[in-house]
Amino acid sequence: MTLDQSEVGSEPLLSVENLRTYIDADGGRVHAVDGVSFTVDRGETVCLVGESGSGKSVTCESLTGIVPQPPAEIVGGTVSFDGLSLLDADDSTLRSVRGNRIAHVFQNPQQALDPVYTVGDQLAEAMTIHGAGDVTATRERAVELLRRVGIPRASERVDDYPHEFSGGMAQRVAIGIGLAADPELLIADEPTTAVDVTVQARLIELLRELTGGGMSLLLVTHDLRVVAALADRVVVMFGGTVMEQGPVETVFARPSHPYTQALFESYDGLDRRGERSARDEIPTDGCRFRRECPHAVDACGGGTQPPTYPTDGNSAHEVSCVHYAPERDPDQILADARGASPGGIPGRTDRSEDAPDTRPRGESGTANGGPTDE
Ligand SMILES: Nc1ncnc2c1ncn2[C@@H]1O[C@H](COP(=O)(O)OP(=O)(O)OP(=O)(O)O)[C@@H](O)[C@H]1O
Ligand code: NI
């Protein structure tokens, strides 16, 4: 029986619906992930962005059940991977999915590598999880994987131990181990954060090559330049929820949620993690961003995170903000803020001085008022 290609292509590879993961901590239950929905298509790169603590890692780790339970508990939602419901899957199914179809790569490669085995042995191990060949073939394939991820002198280095690799090279090895099973989806959580800038650029190039080959990539990064370089779509998270998501071009050209606007405006290429630790506690109802939002109104409080609304009638670009509800006057929607530029993100060439004014029609450059709500 042959599969109808049009049907194969129409379903997203990964579909996450209303995912909720709570974590028991000293101070009580943390709503680390609280109603996250997004999809990843085949061959697509989706980037999760958002400040530290917004729930990006816990989201990724919940998908294949590697989040430690306890203290975490996945309390709701669905995760569908190629039709398989991962949250309902038993341990052996999940192990098989992780060994064969979904690979994880983390920020610190040495964490993923076992110090007492050569990288060749670890690559072989990753291959045997999904069907072994003979010893020579396995070794050849290990060398080939190291070449593929750009390790020079791969046939010699295959016998080296993890500590003999620099940070960037070790991250390549970790990616190589992830690729050993030829996964359909690579989940990479800040894979370029711990390496220096030139190595970063090469790793980004590697990831681009891999997705060019048809692999899907779910990438967590703080670096908007990485997003610009790799993403097809962006998912912006804050407080365990999705604030905004859409095609990278439209989200960068017209960041629409006040949180996205704030995130992009504060972006200066520096890693600012930890700087906002003194912030007010994030609400667990209504819009999670409302306490810091310059446009907050009464309607932002209570209930769940606001529903998502399309921006500019573009249903692929949606925003979870009451100001975009269809019954509201579009001329008042975040009017002044929408003209704001996300701060000249390096690497984007499609933004120019003569880019169209994205403010809603009828808006004539009012003062800093923001939307009013009386
Ligand atoms: N083991 C844990 N125990 C208690 N709370 C946790 C634990 N792991 C994560 N959290 C909390 O869950 C929330 C989401 O954390 P998560 O690591 O997913 O954020 P993140 O977006 O990946 O941040 P970063 O950009 O710093 O990696 C945070 O409030 C964090 O403090
Ligand atoms: Ni994280």
Side-chain angles (χ1 to χ4, degrees):
M1 199 189 87
T2 53
L3 286 167
D4 181 339
Q5 283 304 315
S6 62
E7 275 175 35
V8 169
S10 61
E11 280 287 299
L13 178 64
L14 177 77
S15 179
V16 180
E17 197 74 49
N18 202 18
L19 180 67
R20 289 181 295 132
T21 303
Y22 296 170
I23 303 178
D24 288 318
D26 289 344
R29 282 215 126 176
V30 178
H31 293 200
V33 177
D34 208 10
V36 164
S37 303
F38 64 93
T39 61
V40 182
D41 286 338
R42 287 162 206 279
E44 188 179 40
T45 296
V46 174
C47 284
L48 291 184
V49 301
E51 67 188 56
S52 188
S54 55
K56 305 178 298 294
S57 295
V58 175
T59 295
C60 290
E61 289 164 13
S62 297
L63 302 178
T64 57
I66 59 172
V67 65
Q69 304 174 77
E73 186 189 350
I74 300 173
V75 298
T78 56
V79 176
S80 171
F81 176 73
D82 194 22
L84 182 68
S85 175
L86 295 185
L87 297 188
D88 301 321
D90 57 33
D91 283 352
S92 78
T93 306
L94 281 179
R95 258 198 306 278
S96 151
V97 166
R98 288 198 298 264
N100 295 295
R101 307 187 64 190
I102 301 180
H104 285 265
V105 173
F106 302 94
Q107 180 172 342
N108 181 355
Q110 298 294 354
Q111 219 170 293
L113 302 172
D114 190 326
V116 303
Y117 294 101
T118 66
V119 301
D121 284 344
Q122 292 179 64
L123 285 159
E125 166 76 17
M127 282 178 249
T128 46
I129 293 171
H130 65 112
D134 63 78
V135 176
T136 320
T138 302
R139 187 182 165 87
E140 271 169 21
R141 173 134 166 79
V143 172
E144 182 198 309
L145 278 165
L146 290 181
R147 277 206 194 100
R148 189 165 164 213
V149 296
I151 304 282
R153 297 185 294 112
S155 58
E156 296 161 41
R157 304 234 53 193
V158 70
D159 296 318
D160 285 348
Y161 290 86
H163 74 265
E164 298 177 84
F165 291 81
S166 66
M169 286 295 152
Q171 189 60 288
R172 284 168 181 263
V173 172
I175 293 172
I177 289 172
L179 297 177
D182 211 2
E184 291 139 88
L185 172 65
L186 181 67
I187 299 176
D189 194 344
E190 307 196 43
T192 64
T193 306
V195 297
D196 71 47
V197 176
T198 51
V199 176
Q200 253 179 34
R202 284 189 226 118
L203 284 175
I204 289 164
E205 205 42 54
L206 170 63
L207 291 172
R208 200 207 307 275
E209 272 168 41
L210 294 171
T211 54
M215 188 185 72
S216 303
L217 175 63
L218 178 60
L219 178 68
V220 173
T221 179
H222 281 260
D223 191 336
L224 295 180
R225 290 167 300 191
V226 173
V227 179
L230 288 174
D232 296 304
R233 276 187 314 113
V234 191
V235 176
V236 182
M237 288 186 65
F238 178 81
T241 68
V242 175
M243 294 285 141
E244 173 166 4
Q245 60 178 309
V248 66
E249 296 82 10
T250 62
V251 173
F252 275 19
R254 292 186 298 285
S256 297
H257 196 287
Y259 175 68
T260 315
Q261 292 168 351
L263 179 75
F264 284 10
E265 265 162 43
S266 69
Y267 180 76
D268 57 8
L270 297 176
D271 196 328
R272 299 179 155 271
R273 265 173 290 189
E275 281 184 23
R276 302 180 72 178
S277 54
R279 70 191 313 146
D280 286 344
E281 208 157 285
I282 295 169
T284 53
D285 68 342
C287 181
R288 305 307 194 266
F289 188 58
R290 70 177 189 274
R291 287 200 189 135
E292 293 159 67
C293 183
H295 309 294
V297 294
D298 286 350
C300 303
T304 57
Q305 178 67 31
T308 53
Y309 302 105
T311 67
D312 298 335
N314 177 357
S315 63
H317 181 183
E318 55 182 40
V319 58
S320 166
C321 172
V322 297
H323 294 302
Y324 291 84
E327 67 272 16
R328 291 183 64 88
D329 178 357
D331 284 349
Q332 289 197 358
I333 298 170
L334 307 176
D336 58 338
R338 299 205 65 200
S341 138
I345 294 157
R348 283 320 275 191
T349 49
D350 57 358
R351 189 196 317 287
S352 65
E353 291 299 315
D354 44 54
D357 188 339
T358 55
R359 290 178 301 184
R361 270 186 305 283
E363 176 53 44
S364 52
T366 48
N368 303 323
T372 54
D373 188 74
E374 44 276 314

